[in-house]
């Protein structure tokens, strides 16, 4: 069995475990390559269906190309798309001009997600994070409980091994499920290539620049690249030593910014 | 080795776990590997250098892995991280292993997935407590290959004799554990000697550097051909009823005749379902769906197998477990056992021994298992489950308690009865129906003036079953009630002359006797059976097939039975002359809910017989 099929099978298994366990589940979709890959895996797991809600936590600061991608595939793949924005924060005038990236991320993503979980009473959230993306994500589990305040206690996590996951949780916790945890960035692109999965146009080079990781427009910068096809992206990644999220400002805004964000409930 | 990458094939990565005593250099080795291979992203390297400068010390390679600030404060790795690197030969993922006792669960977590383990031993300190403890856990986790690094050779003046002596210590340790040593390498991770680059100080070591040795390791694949397809869920998104799951071992094909365990239902695979995939023959380990020829009611937890290689089914078995929770595990404690897709409540009925990680000696008579202990225990599940002794996915389980996985275990061979023959073509002729004559059981009972029944006496050897049976028969006969004794020894001379005392033969012995008892009671008689019949599940089966089944637990403490030893059997069993002797070397499962309970150490034979007689009258067997 080849590497990609093995990754795929493990992820499908985890997705099916989550679906069996949680009666009110959603998958987070940011239109990025990882969560789009994850949606594809959900369709694989359920033979073309997406049997739960797809949630986009919308900061309202995404690229137009991302919004376009969202409407195209929500229609084509025919799923139940939920949108949620932290309207209080928008009303208070929180934005990237007036506030630092840490505050914006916290208000527009972390708090917004908490609001959505609260509103829809989700007990399971499927999230497309990967261990190789960023230091604190390496500490994650496949099934990772969050308490009522959405907080993550990364020092007291039960172990997962032998293909067994923690699937019983204290009442009041909601659980983040991470089926892509063991994938690398190159794995994702190779899988996109093999399966012919659509990706947002921003990932491909225009005028010598492309985005390697997509986030909010004001704090996401492109990299120098001439890669215009998935194949060329894979070649480029094989040669680079830059980290994937080096164009994402919230990661470097403060020391251990991501860990702090994630402890409070960031994805 | 290079970080830029010349080979990014579709092969899966080789998983390496690094273990060893605290401060023997695990994180440093990983940092050194990444540094020397050029696999470190520039900003990470800059961060490490800045940190070292700020603290006015040398670059500490261990920092590479310390992504969390607490880790750096404590200078101890908290959790598993996965680090990727590659050599021209292949890709690796390193699972960092923590060095603190309380973090052993994380090591277990990481090591459970590893292809090879690297065991670090400090050249100065030699084999220490955690060297032993980690080695033992590797054995338990089924990691068979270890690459040993005698680290910090710079601190012992690159002494070749010291290396030879330590190599022998490590060999002695690992050979006892039946772990294969891939290689033993002298090195210094801190100075980078013999890790990626050779060192003039270690020129006496003529063979491989660490990385050459790692590259020379050939991965072994689990190639069991026995089909195990545990059902994960059942979907009805459209007209199809799809059973989803992962083929854990063997190969499944359309048209295969399969049996589901433990429910023991059989059918044929109609289709294999995949989405956006042209594969018709699924790979091993692939997540798939199937549809069946027959509309069977199958739920999560059932394991599909080919009929010629069924799994075992039992509610009780022995296992080697490791315990990771701060809360101790006690005899009698209830937990949830998760094996493949089966979840079942279970109880620890025995703690047979606890293995000391320091000496690797077994200690008996302990009532609790502490955090990080390894122990041999007996588990009783609330219902029978399907499992194996030699198929990874169906012999390993985890134990869950209080919303967390607290331990893992592996089922021990020959600690459970083999009932597979029951299910495997037991009824060799089909289309046979039970014939009912015109004279019914009721007619016969009217003629006899009493009902037919089975009185099933169960208890240890020497508890007094035969004595009670004889007295009971006399009493019944005196009341003109027709009865007949089925005696263990007598039946074994005749009907069951082909059976021995293995767990499997015991099961068959009881099955046949149960059937004879049923025929006798159907004939309107009172059948009195006096068999040890140690397994709860077998007694339950006979009860299930009988009209009037009266279970009598003839209880007596083991010690009293041993003192009586009427047949001299206990003496022989203790001397090891008889194997599989109930109470000594084979289990006895006490009835949890017997119809009649008698205790021959506190009651006379007369009292015991009267207890049974009273119950028979109460149930209206006779008037």
């Amino acid at each position: 069995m080849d590497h990609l099929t093995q990754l795929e099978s493990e992820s499908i298994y985890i997705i099916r475990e989550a679906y069996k366990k949680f009666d009110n589940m959603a998958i987070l979709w940011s239109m990025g390559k990882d969560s789009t890959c994850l949606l594809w895996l959900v369709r694989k797991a359920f033979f073309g269906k997406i049997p739960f809600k797809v949630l986009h936590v919308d900061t309202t600061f995404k690229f137009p190309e991302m919004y376009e991608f969202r409407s195209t595939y929500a229609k084509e793949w025919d799923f139940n798309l939920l949108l949620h924005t932290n309207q209080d924060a928008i009303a208070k005038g929180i934005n990237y001009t007036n506030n630092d990236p840490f505050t914006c991320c916290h208000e527009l993503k972390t708090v917004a997600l908490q609001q959505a979980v609260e509103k829809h009473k989700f007990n399971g959230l499927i999230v497309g994070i990967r261990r190789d993306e960023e230091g604190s994500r390496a500490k994650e589990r496949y099934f990772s409980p969050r308490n009522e305040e959405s907080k993550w206690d990364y020092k007291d996590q039960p172990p997962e091994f032998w293909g067994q996951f923690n699937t019983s949780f204290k009442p009041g916790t909601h659980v983040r499920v991470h089926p892509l945890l063991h994938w690398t960035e190159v794995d994702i692109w190779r899988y996109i290539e093999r399966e012919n999965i659509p990706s947002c146009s921003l990932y491909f080079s225009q005028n010598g620049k492309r985005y390697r990781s997509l986030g909010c427009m004001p704090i996401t910068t492109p990299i120098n690249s001439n890669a215009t096809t998935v194949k060329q992206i894979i070649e480029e990644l094989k040669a680079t030593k830059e980290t994937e999220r080096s164009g994402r400002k919230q990661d470097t805004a403060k020391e251990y910014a991501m860990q702090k964000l994630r402890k409070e409930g960031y994805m | 080795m290079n970080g830029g990458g010349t080979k990014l094939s579709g092969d899966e990565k080789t998983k390496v776990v690094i273990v060893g005593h605290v401060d023997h250099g695990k994180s440093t080795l990983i940092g050194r590997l990444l540094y020397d291979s050029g696999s470190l992203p520039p900003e990470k390297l800059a961060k490490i250098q800045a940190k070292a400068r700020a603290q006015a010390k040398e670059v500490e390679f261990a920092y590479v892995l310390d992504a969390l600030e607490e880790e750096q404060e404590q200078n101890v790795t908290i959790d598993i991280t996965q680090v990727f690197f590659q050599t021209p030969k292949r890709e690796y993922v390193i699972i960092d292993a923590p060095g603190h006792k309380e973090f052993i669960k994380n090591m277990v977590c990481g090591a459970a997935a590893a292809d090879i383990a690297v065991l670090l031993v400090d050249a100065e300190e030699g084999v220490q407590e955690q060297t032993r403890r980690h080695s033992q856990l590797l054995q338990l986790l089924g990691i068979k290959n270890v690459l040993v690094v005698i680290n910090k050779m710079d601190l012992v003046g690159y002494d070749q004799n010291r290396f030879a002596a330590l190599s022998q210590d490590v060999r002695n340790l690992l050979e006892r554990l039946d772990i294969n040593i891939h290689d033993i390498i002298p090195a210094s991770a801190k100075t980078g000697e013999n890790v990626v680059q050779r060192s003039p100080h270690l020129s006496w070591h003529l063979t491989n550097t660490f990385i050459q040795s790692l590259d020379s390791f050939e991965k072994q694949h689990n190639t069991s051909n026995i089909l195990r397809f545990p059902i994960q869920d059942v979907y009805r998104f459209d007209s199809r009823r799809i059973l989803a799951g992962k083929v854990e071992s063997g190969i499944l094909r359309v048209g295969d005749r399969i049996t589901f365990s433990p429910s023991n239902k059989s059918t044929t695979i109609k289709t294999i379902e995949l989405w956006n995939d042209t594969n018709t023959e699924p790979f091993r380990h692939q997540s798939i769906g199937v549809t069946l020829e027959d509309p069977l009611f199958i739920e999560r937890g059932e394991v599909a197998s080919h009929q010629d290689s069924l799994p075992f089914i039992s509610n009780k078995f022995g296992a080697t477990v490791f315990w990771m929770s701060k809360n101790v595990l006690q005899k009698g404690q209830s937990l949830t056992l998760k094996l493949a897709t089966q979840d079942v409540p279970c109880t620890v009925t025995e703690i047979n021994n606890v293995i000391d990680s320091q000496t690797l000696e077994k200690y008996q008579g302990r009532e609790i298992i502490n955090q990080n202990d390894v122990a041999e225990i007996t588990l009783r599940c609330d219902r029978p489950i399907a499992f194996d002794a030699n198929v990874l996915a169906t012999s390993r389980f985890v134990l869950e308690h209080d919303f967390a996985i607290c331990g893992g275990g592996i089922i021990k061979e020959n600690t459970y009865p083999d009932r597979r023959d029951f299910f495997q073509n037991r009824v060799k002729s089909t289309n046979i129906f039970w014939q009912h004559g015109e004279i019914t059981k009721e007619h016969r009972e009217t003629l006899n003036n009493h009902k037919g029944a089975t009185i099933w006496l169960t208890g240890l050897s020497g508890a007094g079953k035969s004595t009670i049976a004889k007295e009971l028969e006399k009493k019944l006969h005196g009341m003109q009630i027709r009865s007949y004794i089925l005696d263990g020894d007598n039946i074994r001379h005749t009907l069951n002359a082909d059976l021995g005392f293995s767990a499997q033969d015991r099961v068959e012995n009881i099955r046949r006797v149960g059937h004879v008892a049923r025929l006798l009671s159907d004939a309107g008689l009172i059948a009195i059976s006096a068999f040890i019949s140690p397994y709860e599940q077998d007694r339950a089966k006979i009860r299930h097939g009988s009209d009037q089944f009266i279970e009598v637990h003839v209880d007596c403490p083991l010690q009293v039975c041993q003192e009586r030893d009427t047949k001299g059997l206990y003496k022989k069993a203790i001397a090891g002359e008889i194997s599989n002797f109930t109470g000594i070397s084979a289990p006895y499962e006490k009835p949890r809910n017997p119809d009649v309970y008698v205790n021959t150490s506190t009651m006379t034979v007369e009292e015991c017989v009267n207890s049974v007689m009273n119950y028979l009258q109460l149930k209206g067997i006779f008037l």
Side-chain angles (χ1 to χ4, degrees):
Chain A
M1 176 153 154
D2 66 289
H3 180 54
L4 287 179
T5 308
Q6 188 185 346
L7 291 176
E8 177 194 66
S9 273
E10 285 164 2
S11 299
I12 290 173
Y13 189 84
I14 292 161
I15 291 165
R16 287 174 174 170
E17 284 296 281
Y19 181 59
K20 180 77 194 170
K21 182 66 205 173
F22 304 109
D23 52 4
N24 188 16
M25 197 162 64
I27 175 171
L28 292 191
W29 186 41
S30 67
M31 294 84 75
K33 62 188 191 314
D34 300 315
S35 61
T36 305
C37 234
L38 192 55
L39 264 187
W40 188 265
L41 286 163
V42 169
R43 299 174 84 204
K44 280 230 166 184
F46 305 113
F47 308 98
K49 301 277 181 306
I50 298 177
F52 34 76
K53 297 188 175 84
V54 177
L55 172 65
H56 177 221
V57 176
D58 192 354
T59 61
T60 71
F61 291 100
K62 300 290 172 188
F63 292 86
E65 289 88 341
M66 293 170 75
Y67 290 115
E68 195 188 307
F69 189 80
R70 185 176 80 185
S71 59
T72 305
Y73 287 96
K75 198 182 288 172
E76 195 174 318
W77 290 355
D78 187 28
F79 52 73
N80 191 345
L81 179 66
L82 285 180
L83 302 177
H84 185 86
T85 299
N86 182 355
Q87 298 296 353
D88 301 345
I90 299 288
K92 273 192 277 178
I94 300 246
N95 63 46
Y96 289 97
T97 323
N98 303 333
N99 306 91
D100 63 278
F102 188 94
T103 308
C104 288
C105 275
H106 183 75
E107 288 294 327
L108 299 175
K109 291 172 95 170
T110 311
V111 174
L113 179 61
Q114 279 167 20
Q115 290 170 347
V117 168
E118 179 64 24
K119 183 178 165 194
H120 298 284
K121 305 275 177 249
F122 291 126
N123 52 7
L125 282 181
I126 299 190
V127 187
I129 64 161
R130 306 189 327 267
R131 279 205 177 110
D132 81 326
E133 274 178 285
E134 192 277 325
S136 69
R137 286 182 174 174
K139 310 286 173 181
E140 268 293 1
R141 297 286 195 258
Y142 290 104
F143 283 75
S144 179
R146 297 294 192 275
N147 66 17
E148 278 151 284
E149 291 85 52
S150 284
K151 296 210 173 163
W152 176 39
D153 185 359
Y154 53 85
K155 277 193 281 189
D156 186 26
Q157 300 183 81
E160 292 175 329
F161 54 100
W162 294 346
Q164 296 288 356
F165 308 98
N166 277 291
T167 48
S168 76
F169 298 98
K170 283 182 195 141
T173 40
H174 84 263
V175 178
R176 303 273 177 92
V177 184
H178 304 128
L180 294 180
L181 207 53
H182 54 302
W183 294 53
T184 64
E185 187 184 9
V186 172
D187 290 333
I188 294 283
W189 283 111
R190 283 195 196 133
Y191 191 67
I192 286 170
E193 184 187 31
R194 186 183 94 170
E195 299 283 314
N196 207 9
I197 303 170
S199 333
C200 183
S201 59
L202 294 167
Y203 284 113
F204 302 98
S205 174
Q206 280 165 336
N207 307 319
K209 302 254 180 204
R210 75 173 193 92
Y211 290 87
R212 193 167 157 194
S213 175
L214 295 179
C216 285
M217 207 157 44
I219 56 161
T220 306
T221 49
I223 57 165
N224 293 324
S225 167
N226 291 317
T228 54
T229 64
V230 174
K231 213 171 211 70
Q232 286 167 355
I233 289 175
I234 294 169
E235 287 308 312
E236 178 188 283
L237 291 176
K238 285 198 251 177
T240 187
K241 279 189 190 175
E242 287 291 325
T243 58
E244 181 178 357
R245 292 176 63 91
S246 54
R248 302 287 291 272
K249 286 218 183 72
Q250 69 267 38
D251 291 27
T252 47
K254 285 184 189 173
E255 213 182 337
Y256 301 109
M258 260 305 259
Q259 184 188 318
K260 282 172 186 152
L261 275 170
R262 301 203 69 240
K263 197 174 167 185
E264 297 303 315
Y266 185 79
M267 306 70 167
Chain B
M1 180 150 120
N2 67 74
T6 45
K7 186 167 180 282
L8 275 169
S9 72
D11 293 341
E12 56 186 284
K13 296 171 181 66
T14 302
K15 296 177 207 118
V16 182
V17 66
I18 301 194
V19 300
H21 195 72
V22 61
D23 287 337
H24 280 198
K26 296 182 294 294
S27 294
T28 306
L29 178 71
I30 297 168
R32 170 58 71 179
L33 271 174
L34 295 178
Y35 186 75
D36 283 5
S37 71
S39 304
L40 272 186
E43 76 242 29
K44 263 202 172 163
L45 186 60
K47 216 168 163 184
I48 294 163
Q49 284 166 339
K51 188 132 212 157
R53 266 198 306 278
Q55 299 179 3
K57 55 183 191 184
E58 286 178 67
V59 170
E60 281 284 348
F61 292 104
Y63 285 155
V64 174
L65 295 166
D66 297 343
L68 295 183
E69 60 193 314
E70 284 86 344
E71 280 185 358
Q72 291 179 332
E73 279 162 18
Q74 294 176 11
N75 245 342
V76 173
T77 318
I78 284 183
D79 205 331
I80 59 155
T81 47
Q82 300 211 346
V83 177
F84 302 90
F85 76 96
Q86 58 191 312
T87 68
K89 189 178 173 193
R90 61 186 169 201
E91 291 175 69
Y92 291 94
V93 48
I94 301 180
I95 306 157
D96 179 29
H100 262 186
K101 263 187 200 175
E102 60 264 39
F103 301 141
I104 217 154
K105 69 177 182 189
N106 296 322
M107 193 212 84
V108 167
C109 230
D115 296 304
I116 185 168
V118 172
L119 173 65
L120 277 161
V121 180
D122 186 314
E124 258 188 334
E125 293 189 4
V127 170
Q128 295 291 313
E129 186 209 345
Q130 285 166 1
T131 318
R132 294 194 186 93
R133 194 188 279 265
H134 287 183
S135 303
Q136 191 190 348
L137 281 164
L138 291 176
Q139 178 213 26
L140 181 64
L141 295 169
I143 295 170
K144 291 256 182 272
N145 295 290
V146 172
L147 170 55
V148 180
V149 177
I150 307 293
N151 192 27
K152 306 193 190 179
M153 284 302 292
D154 53 322
L155 299 185
V156 296
Y158 307 98
D159 182 359
Q160 191 170 357
N161 292 329
R162 178 71 184 151
F163 173 71
L166 283 178
S167 299
Q168 196 50 50
D169 288 352
V170 174
R171 265 186 222 111
N172 291 343
L173 169 69
L174 297 184
E175 271 165 21
R176 271 183 76 186
L177 295 168
D178 200 23
I179 290 174
N180 172 42
I181 299 174
H182 170 64
D183 204 351
I184 305 182
I185 305 279
S188 169
K190 195 173 178 190
T191 60
E193 290 170 288
N194 231 16
V195 177
V196 176
Q197 270 125 35
R198 286 197 175 275
S199 158
H201 297 122
L202 294 167
S203 56
W204 46 263
H205 183 76
L206 298 171
T207 55
N208 291 327
T209 60
F210 170 76
I211 202 70
Q212 284 170 333
S213 184
L214 194 59
D215 266 350
S216 73
F217 170 71
E218 292 303 328
K219 234 199 285 193
Q220 285 140 11
H221 289 274
N222 167 28
T223 50
S224 173
N225 285 322
I226 297 172
L227 171 69
R228 292 291 180 263
F229 177 53
I231 303 305
Q232 197 180 359
D233 208 346
V234 181
Y235 302 131
R236 288 176 215 84
F237 296 124
D238 46 39
S239 60
R240 295 170 298 176
R241 191 166 189 279
I242 300 178
L243 277 63
K246 195 159 139 213
V247 181
E248 294 287 0
S249 104
I251 294 176
L252 185 66
R253 295 184 178 88
V254 171
D256 278 4
R257 187 79 190 154
I258 52 154
T259 297
F260 291 96
S261 304
S263 75
N264 194 37
K265 294 170 187 163
S266 296
T267 185
T268 303
I269 299 288
K270 188 175 174 186
T271 61
I272 287 175
E273 303 288 338
L274 294 162
W275 183 78
N276 206 45
D277 200 322
T278 51
N279 220 356
T280 49
E281 188 167 290
F283 299 105
R284 288 164 202 275
H285 311 304
Q286 193 170 0
S287 286
I288 61 164
V290 300
T291 63
L292 307 176
E293 287 288 358
D294 303 297
L296 301 181
F297 180 72
I298 298 295
E299 288 178 292
R300 177 187 168 95
E302 297 278 346
V303 181
S305 315
H306 290 134
Q307 283 175 315
D308 56 359
S309 56
L310 295 178
F312 299 102
I313 298 173
S314 178
N315 67 333
K316 199 167 179 182
F317 43 79
T320 306
V321 298
F322 53 90
W323 187 247
M324 295 182 283
S325 170
K326 274 173 275 187
N327 305 319
V328 298
L329 177 61
Q330 299 182 26
K331 187 173 162 180
Q333 193 170 327
S334 293
L335 305 143
T336 300
L337 179 138
K338 296 170 84 169
L339 185 146
T341 54
Q342 303 170 100
D343 284 30
V344 59
C346 71
T347 307
V348 179
T349 57
E350 295 293 335
I351 296 176
N352 303 314
N353 60 61
V354 177
I355 301 164
D356 185 292
S357 74
Q358 186 72 48
T359 60
L360 301 188
E361 296 298 329
K362 291 179 182 178
Y363 291 96
Q364 289 174 346
R366 293 203 182 162
E367 295 281 302
I368 57 165
I369 300 171
N370 292 308
Q371 187 177 22
N372 297 329
D373 275 350
V374 172
E376 290 179 9
I377 63 171
T378 305
L379 286 169
R380 188 186 64 220
C381 301
D382 283 13
R383 56 176 188 274
I385 61 163
F387 62 88
D388 288 284
N390 290 313
V391 181
L392 279 186
T394 41
S395 61
R396 304 200 293 198
F397 58 86
V398 300
L399 295 168
E400 203 174 63
H401 184 61
D402 201 15
F403 308 111
I405 292 176
C406 292
I410 300 174
I411 294 178
K412 283 189 70 164
E413 234 169 326
N414 300 322
T415 56
Y416 42 81
D418 183 356
R419 292 186 178 79
R420 289 178 301 176
D421 268 8
F422 269 10
F423 305 118
Q424 212 157 305
N425 305 318
R426 163 53 65 195
V427 179
K428 287 183 175 153
S429 35
T430 50
N431 294 323
I432 303 265
F433 299 92
W434 191 266
Q435 295 298 328
H436 293 280
E438 283 177 30
I439 302 297
T440 65
K441 189 182 179 197
E442 285 68 35
H443 290 113
R444 293 189 282 270
E445 287 175 349
T446 310
L447 185 69
N448 286 345
N449 219 5
H450 62 80
K451 288 186 177 173
T454 298
I455 299 173
W456 192 271
L457 304 170
T458 170
L460 294 171
S461 175
K465 298 180 296 299
S466 296
T467 311
I468 292 173
K470 279 182 227 158
E471 289 305 313
L472 197 56
E473 191 185 32
K474 268 195 246 169
K475 196 146 202 164
L476 288 168
H477 191 78
M479 293 169 68
Q480 300 192 323
I481 294 167
R482 294 166 210 272
S483 61
Y484 192 83
I485 294 179
L486 295 168
D487 177 80
D489 287 352
N490 294 351
I491 296 276
R492 278 187 175 275
H493 279 303
T494 54
L495 176 65
N496 292 351
D498 59 326
L499 301 177
F501 290 90
S502 67
Q504 186 173 355
D505 281 0
R506 280 168 186 268
V507 170
E508 177 62 9
N509 183 42
I510 296 306
R511 186 192 73 83
R512 291 185 198 172
V513 172
H515 184 62
V516 173
R518 185 188 161 188
L519 290 176
L520 292 177
S521 90
D522 192 54
L525 308 183
I526 291 181
I528 305 167
S529 91
F531 287 78
I532 297 171
S533 47
Y535 300 119
E536 195 174 0
Q537 206 179 326
D538 298 331
R539 296 191 301 261
K541 215 172 184 108
I542 297 163
R543 177 190 290 274
H544 193 69
S546 312
D547 255 4
Q548 285 289 351
F549 182 84
I550 296 152
E551 187 176 44
V552 180
H553 182 197
V554 182
D555 198 9
C556 183
L558 180 62
Q559 209 187 336
V560 178
C561 294
Q562 276 181 44
E563 282 160 15
R564 288 181 189 160
D565 206 5
T566 39
K567 299 173 193 166
L569 296 174
Y570 281 99
K571 212 187 221 168
K572 286 185 184 170
I574 291 163
E577 290 168 39
I578 308 176
S579 55
N580 293 319
F581 192 78
T582 305
I584 303 296
S585 45
Y588 177 76
E589 297 172 9
K590 289 186 179 185
R592 278 186 280 183
N593 220 347
D595 300 296
V596 182
Y597 174 87
V598 296
N599 188 327
T600 60
S601 70
T602 55
M603 295 162 76
T604 62
V605 175
E606 180 77 22
E607 285 168 340
C608 294
V609 170
N610 285 341
S611 296
V612 179
M613 292 299 287
N614 290 342
Y615 186 81
L616 293 176
Q617 196 157 21
L618 186 77
K619 296 297 277 184
I621 303 298
F622 55 81
L623 297 171

